[in-house]
């Protein structure tokens, strides 16, 4: 069975500093995808970044990068130069090889950016 | 461009009442999903559909039924609401991708309270 674990319920970071949100996963599928979503206090789910299990390079999208360590089964999100608007809940999620797009989500990490 | 629209946004039900949540997407996506979000548990998949006329059970399907009579709509029904179904419900849609990198687009969520 697939499982996603986010061990940090809450995190604080100073504005303009970088922060790493942890995500570990477990799966027996040889092919899978890893996603990060942001959920601000308004409640919507915003897609941030994707990493495929066969991708050779770590994914990057603007200030977001994914530190993918396949052997350790970790897919940590790095946010550089934090902004006040980054304060939100962040979810790590995984899709499997069934190609149905179903996602397994972690419990989430609440990030607060301090001015 | 509306994306994924959920109706209603909020609802209060009495135990035993029934209701239907409507999800509509205008992106011509094949796949659609219903998730529920509870505090501290992330999002969990209730039911999903990989095409018009198809439905399948997710992780937590008990107490819910779904239908996908039209490609753009995915309905979630509660036949006899229970307090344990108090949650925030999210509909999402996505398009098949052989690389598995297709992001899911989420609706704004429906906050349901069962008293």
């Amino acid at each position: 069975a697939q499982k996603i674990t986010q061990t940090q319920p809450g995190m604080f970071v100073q504005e303009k500093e970088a922060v790493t949100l942890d995500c570990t996963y477990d799966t027996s599928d040889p092919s899978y995808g890893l996603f990060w979503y942001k959920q601000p206090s308004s409640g919507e789910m915003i897609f941030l970044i994707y990493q495929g299990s066969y991708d050779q390079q770590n994914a990057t999208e603007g200030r977001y990068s994914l530190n993918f360590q396949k052997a350790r089964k970790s897919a940590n999100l790095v946010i550089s130069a934090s902004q006040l608007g980054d304060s939100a809940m962040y979810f790590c999620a995984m899709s499997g090889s069934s190609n149905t797009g179903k996602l397994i989500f972690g419990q989430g990490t609440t990030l607060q950016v301090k001015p | 461009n509306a994306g994924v629209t959920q109706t209603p946004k909020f609802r209060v039900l009495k135990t035993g009442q029934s209701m239907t949540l409507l999800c509509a997407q205008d992106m011509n996506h094949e796949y659609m999903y219903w998730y529920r979000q509870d505090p501290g548990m992330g999002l969990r998949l209730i039911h999903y559909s990989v095409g018009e006329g198809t439905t399948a059970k997710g992780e937590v399907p008990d107490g819910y039924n779904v239908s996908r009579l039209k490609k753009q709509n995915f309905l979630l029904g509660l036949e006899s609401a229970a307090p344990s179904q108090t949650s925030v419900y999210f509909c999402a849609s996505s398009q098949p991708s052989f690389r598995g990198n297709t992001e899911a687009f989420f609706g704004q969520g429906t906050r349901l309270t069962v008293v």
Side-chain angles (χ1 to χ4, degrees), chain A residues 95-107:
Chain A
S95 63
S97 59
S98 64
N99 198 24
T100 60
K102 298 184 296 180
L103 294 175
I104 301 293
F105 284 83
Q107 305 94 313

Side-chain angles (χ1 to χ4, degrees), chain A residues 1-62:
Chain A
Q2 295 182 319
K3 186 177 181 180
I4 290 278
T5 302
Q6 295 179 253
T7 58
Q8 306 155 312
M11 292 276 289
F12 289 92
V13 65
Q14 205 67 35
E15 191 178 10
K16 299 181 184 178
E17 291 185 350
V19 63
T20 297
L21 305 183
D22 293 342
C23 173
T24 58
Y25 62 92
D26 190 21
T27 182
S28 56
D29 286 340
S31 175
Y32 51 89
L34 295 155
F35 300 76
W36 277 92
Y37 281 85
K38 172 184 178 181
Q39 186 179 44
S41 58
S42 51
E44 71 266 33
M45 296 288 286
I46 302 168
F47 167 75
L48 295 178
I49 197 167
Y50 166 85
Q51 178 83 42
S53 57
Y54 291 117
D55 292 343
Q56 295 297 314
Q57 293 186 329
N58 287 345
T60 59
E61 290 286 349

Side-chain angles (χ1 to χ4, degrees), chain A residues 33 35 37 39 42-45 47 50 52 55 91 95 99-108, chain B residues 31 33 35 37 40-43 45 48 50 59 90 94 96-97 99-104 106 108:
Chain A
F35 300 76
Y37 281 85
Q39 186 179 44
S42 51
E44 71 266 33
M45 296 288 286
F47 167 75
Y50 166 85
D55 292 343
F91 290 99
S95 63
N99 198 24
T100 60
K102 298 184 296 180
L103 294 175
I104 301 293
F105 284 83
Q107 305 94 313
Chain B
Y31 298 166
Y33 317 87
Y35 293 90
Q37 182 179 17
M41 298 187 73
L43 279 73
L45 183 65
Y48 66 100
V50 297
E59 182 186 358
F90 283 97
S94 69
S97 165
R99 286 194 63 226
N101 63 336
T102 180
E103 68 183 88
F106 284 81
Q108 296 282 51

Side-chain angles (χ1 to χ4, degrees), chain B residues 39 42 55 63-64 74 86 95 103 111 114:
Chain B
T55 63
Y64 306 95
F74 195 30
T86 293
Q95 194 65 356
E103 68 183 88
R111 187 172 295 275
V114 183

Side-chain angles (χ1 to χ4, degrees), chain B residues 35-115:
Chain B
Y35 293 90
R36 60 178 287 174
Q37 182 179 17
D38 301 298
M41 298 187 73
L43 279 73
R44 292 180 293 168
L45 183 65
I46 305 171
H47 286 280
Y48 66 100
S49 167
V50 297
E52 181 178 313
T54 75
T55 63
K57 294 180 179 179
E59 182 186 358
V60 287
D62 293 343
Y64 306 95
N65 56 76
V66 289
S67 65
R68 184 128 181 244
L69 300 179
K70 293 183 179 181
K71 185 177 182 179
Q72 63 268 31
N73 295 337
F74 195 30
L75 278 62
L76 178 71
L78 287 73
E79 291 188 348
S80 179
S84 61
Q85 294 178 303
T86 293
S87 188
V88 179
Y89 292 85
F90 283 97
C91 177
S93 70
S94 69
Q95 194 65 356
S97 165
F98 77 96
R99 286 194 63 226
N101 63 336
T102 180
E103 68 183 88
F105 292 81
F106 284 81
Q108 296 282 51
T110 296
R111 187 172 295 275
L112 175 66
T113 302
V114 183
V115 298

Side-chain angles (χ1 to χ4, degrees), chain B residues 11-31:
Chain B
R11 185 73 185 268
V12 178
L13 282 181
K14 292 183 179 179
T15 298
Q17 285 185 321
S18 63
M19 78 163 294
T20 300
L21 281 67
L22 172 63
C23 176
Q25 54 98 0
D26 62 1
M27 296 172 283
N28 202 34
H29 284 170
E30 288 294 328
Y31 298 166

